Amino acid sequence: MNTEHRYIFEKGSKKHRCPNCDKKRFVRYIDTQTGEYLPEQYGRCDREINCPQQEYNNPYLDGYAKAIWEQEQGNKTEWKPQQPKRIKKPVNKPKRAFIPIQELKKTLTGYNNNIFIQNLLQRVPFPFEVQDIEKVVSLYRLGTVPENGAVCFPYIDSKGNVNAVQEKIFDYTNHTDKTKKYHTSWLHSRLTYNEYKNKPLPEWLEAYNKNETKVSCLFGEHLLSKYPYNPVALVEAPKTAIYGTLYFGFPEQPTNLLWLAVYNLSSLNLNKCKALKGRNVYLFPDLSKDGKAFELWSNKAAEIQKRLQGTYFHVSDLLEQLAPQQDKEQGKDIADYLIKQDWRLFRKQDIKETPQPEPEPVETSTREKREKREAPKKNFFFAA
Ligand SMILES: [Zn+2]
């Protein structure tokens, strides 16, 4: 057997975090027989001078290749990999700073001026009940910027830390109001450039602005521990997650989807998905020209699933199959389709489980009768 060239460096320009120096300059080894990566420590850092190769980076030098070969021959082996030692300690990386909960609380008000919320109550084709809107607002902790009517979408992680608060001004159809210069902003930017303009920043904000990434958790992640058994629906934008909840029902029912959002197309990654470990996850990428979004999420989902044991990702292609080309070019999402339909038709599962009054009241409208008769469309997105 030829063990010489079984393990090779991954082709292409993909770089991983180096186990020695922590820089993202590490080319990993691939097992050509399985197509899989070798354990993370095996590879070559391309900072050759500052980060010399260690014996435990080479599967042929540290005994890995031999041990695998022995194992495959059915021989027992006592060999264990050496633990990587870091050459350079990570230069005291500042801890991630969060937005204080009081700042979030300040936004939980002013819903009469909140364009997004008022649209849902009054301007959409099938307005929602006040109780449902109150419920979704309190679940996801949606807020308002009273000065401009923007809705606040907070990204709260599973530990309850507020990672970021996105602020969006919508038009009366609940699409981004592109006539406004600052239609999409962040709470920390508004505070930095408006409220504290020409004033010293509070300590937390100073620290927060040094964070490398703003959105480092999922929108709705804080709900995962509250609803530990629900399957998860993952979409790009918070708005879509809110629509999904309003249409398909709330997560108190453990069979209902718990709707979360990643923020945008390109920010689906392993780190954010760690909170989803052990779940069934249904992904609904937005439409895109040539199905690029669908393809990107399908590939990412497969990659993430491999690394999160017991987690299953299913990417819905229903929109891809049904949508006309024009919708694809406009990058429409499921929210655009849902909002045109009566949400009552989607909640039939709930209606069905409610004990039916006996006898049926005479004044039941034709629509209600029709709803009761129709069987729930259980596999709406995965019918194909
Ligand atoms: Zn290195």
Side-chain angles (χ1 to χ4, degrees), residues 287 317-325 327-328 337 380 384:
L287 284 170
D317 66 347
L318 191 75
L319 283 188
E320 290 295 326
Q321 291 191 20
L322 299 183
Q325 188 57 30
D327 288 0
K328 292 184 183 173
Y337 290 88
F380 183 76

Tab-separated table of all heavy atoms in Angstrom, residues 287 317-325 327-328 337 380 384:
chain	number	residue	atom	x	y	z
A	287	LEU	N	-34.492	34.260	-2.864
A	287	LEU	CA	-34.292	33.994	-4.284
A	287	LEU	C	-33.104	34.804	-4.774
A	287	LEU	O	-32.739	35.807	-4.166
A	287	LEU	CB	-35.539	34.395	-5.070
A	287	LEU	CG	-36.731	33.452	-4.968
A	287	LEU	CD1	-37.946	34.104	-5.598
A	287	LEU	CD2	-36.427	32.125	-5.657
A	317	ASP	N	-36.001	24.232	-1.569
A	317	ASP	CA	-35.834	24.776	-2.921
A	317	ASP	C	-37.180	25.077	-3.555
A	317	ASP	O	-37.280	25.261	-4.751
A	317	ASP	CB	-35.025	23.820	-3.800
A	317	ASP	CG	-35.763	22.513	-4.053
A	317	ASP	OD1	-36.760	22.250	-3.356
A	317	ASP	OD2	-35.346	21.765	-4.941
A	318	LEU	N	-38.220	25.122	-2.742
A	318	LEU	CA	-39.549	25.329	-3.305
A	318	LEU	C	-39.637	26.644	-4.066
A	318	LEU	O	-40.126	26.677	-5.187
A	318	LEU	CB	-40.607	25.284	-2.204
A	318	LEU	CG	-42.020	25.229	-2.769
A	318	LEU	CD1	-42.334	23.846	-3.305
A	318	LEU	CD2	-43.051	25.669	-1.770
A	319	LEU	N	-39.129	27.709	-3.454
A	319	LEU	CA	-39.191	29.012	-4.139
A	319	LEU	C	-38.416	28.963	-5.445
A	319	LEU	O	-38.866	29.455	-6.467
A	319	LEU	CB	-38.624	30.120	-3.253
A	319	LEU	CG	-39.484	30.652	-2.113
A	319	LEU	CD1	-38.814	31.855	-1.488
A	319	LEU	CD2	-40.881	31.014	-2.581
A	320	GLU	N	-37.242	28.333	-5.394
A	320	GLU	CA	-36.415	28.230	-6.604
A	320	GLU	C	-37.213	27.575	-7.722
A	320	GLU	O	-37.096	27.945	-8.888
A	320	GLU	CB	-35.175	27.376	-6.334
A	320	GLU	CG	-34.145	28.015	-5.423
A	320	GLU	CD	-33.507	29.247	-6.027
A	320	GLU	OE1	-33.325	29.281	-7.258
A	320	GLU	OE2	-33.209	30.176	-5.263
A	321	GLN	N	-37.979	26.598	-7.365
A	321	GLN	CA	-38.714	25.851	-8.388
A	321	GLN	C	-39.926	26.610	-8.905
A	321	GLN	O	-40.283	26.487	-10.060
A	321	GLN	CB	-39.149	24.506	-7.834
A	321	GLN	CG	-37.968	23.580	-7.603
A	321	GLN	CD	-38.422	22.166	-7.301
A	321	GLN	OE1	-39.531	21.791	-7.609
A	321	GLN	NE2	-37.549	21.394	-6.694
A	322	LEU	N	-40.571	27.338	-8.021
A	322	LEU	CA	-41.852	27.942	-8.396
A	322	LEU	C	-41.758	29.383	-8.879
A	322	LEU	O	-42.604	29.835	-9.638
A	322	LEU	CB	-42.825	27.891	-7.211
A	322	LEU	CG	-43.174	26.488	-6.707
A	322	LEU	CD1	-44.207	26.586	-5.597
A	322	LEU	CD2	-43.697	25.608	-7.834
A	323	ALA	N	-40.737	30.106	-8.422
A	323	ALA	CA	-40.734	31.544	-8.663
A	323	ALA	C	-40.435	31.879	-10.121
A	323	ALA	O	-39.580	31.241	-10.750
A	323	ALA	CB	-39.704	32.207	-7.765
A	324	PRO	N	-41.124	32.889	-10.665
A	324	PRO	CA	-40.775	33.354	-12.003
A	324	PRO	C	-39.425	34.071	-11.992
A	324	PRO	O	-38.991	34.569	-10.948
A	324	PRO	CB	-41.893	34.332	-12.350
A	324	PRO	CG	-42.530	34.703	-11.071
A	324	PRO	CD	-42.267	33.592	-10.088
A	325	GLN	N	-38.777	34.108	-13.162
A	325	GLN	CA	-37.442	34.684	-13.279
A	325	GLN	C	-37.353	36.091	-12.712
A	325	GLN	O	-36.387	36.451	-12.049
A	325	GLN	CB	-37.012	34.671	-14.757
A	325	GLN	CG	-35.564	35.072	-15.003
A	325	GLN	CD	-34.560	34.210	-14.249
A	325	GLN	OE1	-34.795	33.033	-13.977
A	325	GLN	NE2	-33.442	34.814	-13.864
A	327	ASP	N	-38.916	37.465	-10.256
A	327	ASP	CA	-38.812	37.445	-8.794
A	327	ASP	C	-37.404	37.065	-8.359
A	327	ASP	O	-36.889	37.565	-7.359
A	327	ASP	CB	-39.798	36.442	-8.201
A	327	ASP	CG	-41.238	36.936	-8.311
A	327	ASP	OD1	-41.434	38.047	-8.844
A	327	ASP	OD2	-42.147	36.210	-7.871
A	328	LYS	N	-36.785	36.178	-9.123
A	328	LYS	CA	-35.425	35.759	-8.776
A	328	LYS	C	-34.468	36.930	-8.910
A	328	LYS	O	-33.615	37.149	-8.060
A	328	LYS	CB	-34.974	34.602	-9.677
A	328	LYS	CG	-35.760	33.330	-9.404
A	328	LYS	CD	-35.243	32.177	-10.222
A	328	LYS	CE	-36.114	30.952	-9.948
A	328	LYS	NZ	-35.822	29.829	-10.797
A	337	TYR	N	-43.915	36.326	-0.495
A	337	TYR	CA	-45.005	35.450	-0.907
A	337	TYR	C	-46.048	35.314	0.195
A	337	TYR	O	-47.247	35.336	-0.051
A	337	TYR	CB	-44.468	34.066	-1.282
A	337	TYR	CG	-43.681	34.119	-2.559
A	337	TYR	CD1	-42.324	34.390	-2.554
A	337	TYR	CD2	-44.316	33.955	-3.783
A	337	TYR	CE1	-41.607	34.484	-3.722
A	337	TYR	CE2	-43.603	34.039	-4.970
A	337	TYR	CZ	-42.250	34.303	-4.927
A	337	TYR	OH	-41.549	34.397	-6.097
A	380	PHE	N	-45.695	22.478	3.291
A	380	PHE	CA	-45.794	23.600	2.370
A	380	PHE	C	-44.504	23.837	1.592
A	380	PHE	O	-44.512	24.017	0.398
A	380	PHE	CB	-46.190	24.857	3.134
A	380	PHE	CG	-46.380	26.055	2.252
A	380	PHE	CD1	-47.518	26.172	1.488
A	380	PHE	CD2	-45.411	27.037	2.180
A	380	PHE	CE1	-47.703	27.265	0.678
A	380	PHE	CE2	-45.596	28.143	1.375
A	380	PHE	CZ	-46.741	28.259	0.629
A	384	ALA	N	-42.106	19.286	-2.769
A	384	ALA	CA	-41.528	18.749	-4.001
A	384	ALA	C	-40.644	17.542	-3.736
A	384	ALA	O	-40.135	17.358	-2.661
A	384	ALA	CB	-40.725	19.815	-4.713
